[in-house]
Amino acid sequence: MNLVHILFWFLSALTLFSALMVILSKNPVHSVLWLILVFFAISGHYVLLNAQFLAIVNLIVYAGAIMVLFLFVIMLLNLNKETEPKKNVWMKLAGTIAGGCFLISVTNVIYNAQTSSAELVNKTTLMGKGSIGLIENLGKTLFTDYVIPFEISSVLFLSAMVGAVIIGKKK
Amino acid sequence: MNNLIYLVPLLPLIGFLINGLGRKHLSKPLIATIGSGTILLSFIISIVLFFDIKATGGKVITAFTFINADAFKIDFSFQLDNLSSLFLLIITGIGFLIHLYSAAYMDEEKPDHYARYFAYLNLFVFSMLLLVMGANYVIMYIGWEGVALCSYLLIGFWFKNDNYNYAANKAFIMNRVGDLGFVLAIFWLLTKTGTVSFNELFTDATLAKLSTTDITAITLLLFIGGASKSAQIPLYTWLPDAMAGPTPISALIHAATMVTAGIYMIARSNILYSMSEVTQHIIAILGIATAFFSATIAIKQNDIKKVLAYSTVSQLGYMFLALGVGAYTGAVFHVMTHAFFKALLFLGAGSVIYALHHEQDIRNMGGLKKKMPITHLTFLLACLAIAGIPPFSGFFSKDEILAVAFAKNPIYWVLGVATSILTAFYMFRLYATTFLGKYRGTDEQAKHIHESPKTMTIPLIILAVFSVIAGFVGVPTVLGGSHQLHQYLSPVLSAEKVFHLEHSTEYMLMGITVALAVIAIFYAINKYSKKPELNEPSGLGKILANKWYVDELYDAIIVKPVLALGSFLKNIIEKSGIDALVNNVGTFVQYAARQLRLVQTGQVAGYIMMMVLAIVVFVLLWFYDASILKLIGKLFY
Amino acid sequence: MNAIIISALMGVLMMFTSIITSNKQVIKNVALIALLFLLVGNIVDTYNIFSIKVDTKGMLSFGKFGLYFNTLIIAATTIFVLLSGNEIVKTGDYAADYFALIFFVLCGIAILSSFNNLLMMFLGVEIMSIPLYILTGSAKKNLKSNEASLKYFLMGAFSTGIMLMGIALMYGATGSFGIQAIKLVDNELSFTKVMQTPLLEVIGLLLVYAAMLFKVSAAPFHFWAPDVYDGAPSAFASFMATIVKAAGFIALINLFFLKAVELHYLWKMVTVLVIITTLIIGNITAVFQQSVKRMLAYSSIAHAGFMMFALYAQNDIAKEGILIYTVAYSLATIGLFAILAKMDDYSLEGYNGMAKTQPLLAFANAIFLLSLAGIPLTVGFFAKYYMLAAVLKFSGGFGLFLTITGVVFAAVSVYYYFRVLQAMYFKEGDAKVADVTVGFKLGLMLCIAAIIFFGIFPDVLLAWFYF
Amino acid sequence: MPIQYYIYLALALFCIGIVGVLTRRNAIIVFMCIELMLNAVNLLLVAFSQMHQNAVYATNKVTSAGIEGQLFVFFIMVVAAAEVSVGLAIIVMLYRNTRSVDINFLNRLKN
Amino acid sequence: MISVLLILIPLIAGILTFFIKSNSASKQWSVVSSLAVLVITLLGIFVYNKGNYLNYDVNWITTLGSRFTTSMDGMSKLLCLLTAISFPAIFIATYKNEYKNASQFYGLMLLCQAGLMGVFVAADALLFYFFWELALIPIYFLCSTWGGEKRIAATFKFFVYTFLGSLLMLIGIIYLYYKTPHHSFAMTDFYALQLSAKEQGFVFWLFFIAFAIKMPIFPFHTWQPDTYEQSTTAATIVLSAVMVKMGVFAIIRWIVPVLPLAVSHNASIVIILSVTGMLYASFIAIRQDDIKRLIAYSSIAHIGLMCAAIFAMNGIGLKGVMLQMFSHGINVMGLWIVAEAVELKTGTRKFSELGGLAQKMPILAMLFLVMILANVSLPLTSSFVGEFLMLGGLFRYSMYATAVAGICIILVVTYSLNMMRKMFFGNTVSITENVGEATNNVQWVLAVLAIIIIVFGVYPQPLIDLTRDTVLFITGK
């Protein structure tokens, strides 16, 4: 077990634990903070996977921008208390079971994929090597092969912008 | 000559149309003239045709193709031969007399009803002529139903009275039972032989296509038709009820002509019937049973027309007995003589009823002998004729039947004689109660009693003459005659069975019959002329007076169950069954709609959970239940 | 490519219109002109008269089918704006922006009709969806509208997550986002073979399928639809229920009608299940609705069930069928919603006696309802006809069973459509309808004429996109 | 690393997100859980990207195989950002009207 | 060409009628148009009765392989004649009735006529389906707009029922369409199909259920009494005199020649159903107290026999069926007109509340009697010939079925005469005390119908000859 493995397991555990804490925390602010931790952990994974640029972007966009926005809204709406009333236990249980079912059924399929159909045998990720995660390569591809989606996503932003304005304005 | 044949049925039809359409505009005398005149013309033509046929033999003429559909080729054609021309004479002759009689009898009716009456009557004659002139079973069937219709219309002529309407319905419905048999027989014949025309059917080649079973079935089915029309057990109950119609109708339709249609039909099919022993036995047994059974009922009836009605049923039973034992000529002979004397009886009764202002209960009559001499005399002659007293016509025809019955099976004869005795008894009971003794009505009523007008009495006289002499066309060899009728009909009734009885036996049989009848007559006159039976009968008498409760029995075993079934189907099966099933589908959909609506809880978490679960189900279906899917798939592939 | 570019540009144009003028009628008219421009732009593209050529690196491919579909969608939108334009501008203070969003939606639809790559599909779906979240919530003071908006948004975002997971798994299996890379190897049914299919890909596809089923509101992913259509302003509800739904189908068809995707027997099984559930839920639940608007929402689910027939059939007839279904369904539903928006009372009782107070509107409603019910002489019949024909083309399998189920529920659908008809024509009442302009009436007549004309001479339509 | 580790990890994260969506009633938290799901996808995509890279890396060190996976992550982030802006706007709007962000109270529309 | 005119005239006239404001003008307009159709029908049958005059063929939906093909064979002619007679008869007989929104009423009636004519002349399955529905929609509106209290629910049941049936038929049509070599809907192509017994089996049921609902055959009949009872008589006449014949017609036209194997295979089931239905309906009819319901059940019984006779599959039965379609149409039309006249005069349809009408309306009574007699298939009415041939045909298939069917001959008399008795005979009651004779229009129409009944009862051969080509074709197959 080398460092990569140790880091992988550590980050995985951290991710899952933080994620669990996101949904278990009573206080929304805590949830946000736990979520930010998740993002950090995932960024760690990205670094392990040699996707450095994404790791940075993830931190900037998600942990930096998006989560701050969340925090901001929570503060704005004054929800930073443990105000959430008790949700029906049965609903919680049912929700957990449904999610669990999903997890089990899908992972079981994946498990099958590696055992009976041998689809995933010997498929490993390249750790810490390769250059596709570099900003240079990504940028080149983005502005050559992926220029169309890139341009088109501007429409998306436009509409989101318009929308946010329409919805967000007080009147 | 051929065109004359068309005229025979056509004239009554024209009369029907004129009277029917012009009923608002024609005067009564004109109506009567048209009504009777057309029949008279038909009668005259019938006479001409009769002699023509006698000279040249039978013929078939085709008016047009009635139905020509694949294997069904049915011509609208008439067959005029010895048998049918004889019937033509009876129908138009007696028909004319009854028209004449009706002119006076129905005088009280308003002109439009008067016209309606004559129109119906003409239509009846037309139908009856179709029936006997038809050259195939289908045309016969047309007439067959036509007479049933006219019978229905005329029984219910006074439609304000609901009982009459019931009787009319009953007559039609019971006739329909027979019609079903008839029509099935037609199909059977058509299916097996491809023809229903008499000439083609009654050839050896065609008959060879029929197996014994076929013949038995066909003859039995036809017999059902005959039995319903001619009021045989078990389909006779309509006839007594049919007396609801005006009395001339009873005379014409329910005594002289229509009810003999069954006999005519079987006589016409004699070749078929002779080929089936089974059917013949059944006919004979049912015939004699009817004869005896209805005679017993007649004993205790108090309605003058009811007595005659049961008497008619009884006499028809005789005729069927004759048919059953193969004495077709005898049957036709009796039809003929019966037509005269029974028409006479009814008309006489009508005369009485007319005189007594629609009083029909003999218990309220009596002593009419002096007030209505012509009616009385003619009625007496008719009674003697029906009782079988020589030399009146009834004697000859009845004797012939009894003789053949004896030859076939003495039991038939015994019952026949018993019936004959009963006949004599009840006829003279009727006679005595009506004409002899003292008048039992009020004096006021008595003053108004008078003999009927000429238009009524003349037919009575003519019929009386025929009742007396008609028998002489069939004087048997044993009495020195040559039985002209037999000779005349032999070309048509080729399947006639000839029995040879010892002359001594025949004499003996005649003697016994006549003697017993005479005793019965005297007993009856003696018993009833002085002290008529006015009280309600009891014991057996009550049962007889109530007609053995057959109507009640039918009501219980047929009418009520049918109605109950109808109600059951209507109220239970239709409403709570099929309709409810259909409606329940709707209700279920609505119920399901209300329940399914509740799934839409408005809770986002719930919705999402459903989505997640659906995905889980998809995944499971896909990956883990291939074998189950295979199974389901097999069902649809 | 024309449609994508022009619609995006027109969207921007609309945004600027609000700066120039605040007159709502002008805005509406500008939007109409822009739509016509877009329509023309797309048509010239269809016939290769003038088309902007951009190297899309295989991410988009413009086939006739997609272009025809765009034309129909844009035409339907034009009619929608024609009929409901006044309702749109009345919804809130941002008339021009609403139109801008509609154009962005059209842009998304244009992408969906031509994507060749899962990334483009994802973007298309999002470009289409995000404006819709906003439009749903555009009646800002209306709590129902707010609620609908949030529900739609949360569930939409969730389904996006599902779709992305699917795409990721597919990517893992194939190493590409191109849809040509999708391959399901085996057509035959056997347990071992099922297990040998590329499982990651299959499960990915299943997840994408589920997410797209959400967009077309097929059961059991339909739950958002009644609530959202009910809560959204009528005009936008009609837009979502018709045009957007059809776009969902176009995406599904693009995804699943590939020659390479010899879709699996089991896949059909899943589809049959979805179809039947959709038909049952859509039709049965609609039966008891008291609000016509909500009834129409359920009816739109039911129609999704019918349109799913095309997915089952996966043949050319199905493609044509989807087109004609889009026309039939959109025309009728847009019309119904347009009239509905003029009503005071959305409940069934509100329609009582409409035939007397507003004969033309009642007649139009009747024709729309008959068309939705699939009665001949209306184009709705041919829509249903095509769906049945598509499934029956390769008889066997569940085809017959499916079609019979379909028609049984079509008969059920008559039940709720005709309740409206009965209310309008056979019941006494005093239906209150806001004043309608001559233009509105003309628009309705245009719709009626189109429905009946295409219903009698569908050849005009069919010959056009017969391929 | 074997790819299935990443798959399991991503799925687990994804399912935690789902469970969160299903169990929480605060709209913002629900939304955050959705973001969690998206991040799971991102992680998975990057992992797959590296897996595809790995398949050719041994023979071609400068290959860009698998790069589309990472680019896709970009776009997901873009969309997520857009969604967040719209979503939060909606939540704020709702809060203004109802003084609550509890999705359990979103039941005016039902049946 | 004539076949197209038969559709176009009522169609155009009907559409135009909607725009006529005046009630009386719309009445006159529709009478004129329907008489024009009658004249053209007669011309088509007697004068221009050769193929080119009657047939028409033009491109319609090329892409689907459907053509606007119409043709008229004997059976079509017979039914077109029936349709052509019935509409003027209805219009004239009910001329005095004032309908609310008369122009709509007459417009819908004429549209309905167009649909009916179309059904009878269509020689293309899709076209047939179109007209099948075109006939249904107007009648739905007719029945729902004008009529009794519960009309909406009743006619709705009718509509959903028939609509479901026709959709099933549509599946069948599409299925057959794909079996034709060049994917067409042409009748001739359908006739040329050679399907396996299994395929024929389920296509048969798809078609049969549609037609069985329309006819209606037990147990699909429950819509009928309710609808007849609740709708206005004019609509009822269209329904029962002509529209139910669509089902019978369609079986002969679209099932029998296309799916011969299935027909012979399923004949016994269908015949058992039909005959059961006959008995069932007859028994229920005995217990009915409502004129309209009684006629409805009676009609079910008659139609049952027609259906059974078709499935006996022989020329005799088929000819009988075609004849009976015509004569039952005429006959039942007469019955309805009387029912309407009586209801109009007395305000009730319950015959237990009536009585003695024969005194008050003697002419109507006579004419009704003719109708009743035709209803019981008395010889020398045209129904007799039809029924005789049908029973004869059925007899060749099964004696027992015929015998059971024959029981209905008895039952039909029972309830028909009972109705006659209760309504017209007996003494007058308070309701009927002051009733006058029916209008002249009613009398004239009934008289004409009675003449038709009797003329074709005495001389049915022209009608039988008319059906020859159709039957020859079917039996030849």
Side-chain angles (χ1 to χ4, degrees), chain B residues 457-607:
Chain B
T457 51
I458 289 171
L460 290 181
I461 294 166
I462 297 172
L463 284 172
V465 170
F466 277 105
S467 300
V468 175
I469 63 164
F472 293 108
V473 299
V475 179
T477 40
V478 66
L479 293 178
S482 57
H483 210 313
Q484 288 165 322
L485 189 68
H486 189 270
Q487 287 170 12
Y488 173 69
L489 289 175
S490 55
V492 182
L493 305 178
S494 55
E496 173 95 25
K497 288 204 183 84
V498 182
F499 292 94
H500 291 287
L501 290 175
E502 291 297 318
H503 281 191
S504 55
T505 322
E506 283 205 46
Y507 287 130
M508 188 189 71
L509 299 178
M510 274 181 214
I512 294 171
T513 321
V514 174
L516 288 173
V518 171
I519 293 168
I521 289 169
F522 280 110
Y523 176 67
I525 291 180
N526 201 30
K527 184 170 181 201
Y528 292 108
S529 59
K530 297 285 177 321
K531 200 161 63 75
E533 185 178 60
L534 299 175
N535 303 329
E536 287 301 319
S538 60
L540 183 64
K542 190 177 174 191
I543 296 175
L544 292 181
N546 284 305
K547 309 147 198 168
W548 295 97
Y549 295 103
V550 172
D551 276 333
E552 286 76 4
L553 182 71
Y554 281 6
D555 198 48
I557 63 168
I558 296 171
V559 180
K560 288 237 171 73
V562 165
L563 292 181
L565 180 62
S567 301
F568 172 73
L569 291 179
K570 178 189 166 198
N571 297 326
I572 312 293
I573 301 290
E574 182 84 346
K575 276 221 184 77
S576 329
I578 297 170
D579 205 17
L581 199 70
V582 175
N583 289 339
N584 277 344
V585 172
T587 322
F588 171 76
V589 168
Q590 293 199 346
Y591 173 79
R594 254 170 291 176
Q595 298 308 309
L596 265 182
R597 243 155 51 102
L598 300 181
V599 177
Q600 195 82 23
T601 53
Q603 297 294 330
V604 177
Y607 295 172

Side-chain angles (χ1 to χ4, degrees), chain C residues 373-389:
Chain C
I375 309 277
L377 293 184
T378 61
V379 68
F381 165 73
F382 281 100
K384 284 231 164 65
Y385 167 86
Y386 259 95
M387 288 301 138
L388 297 178

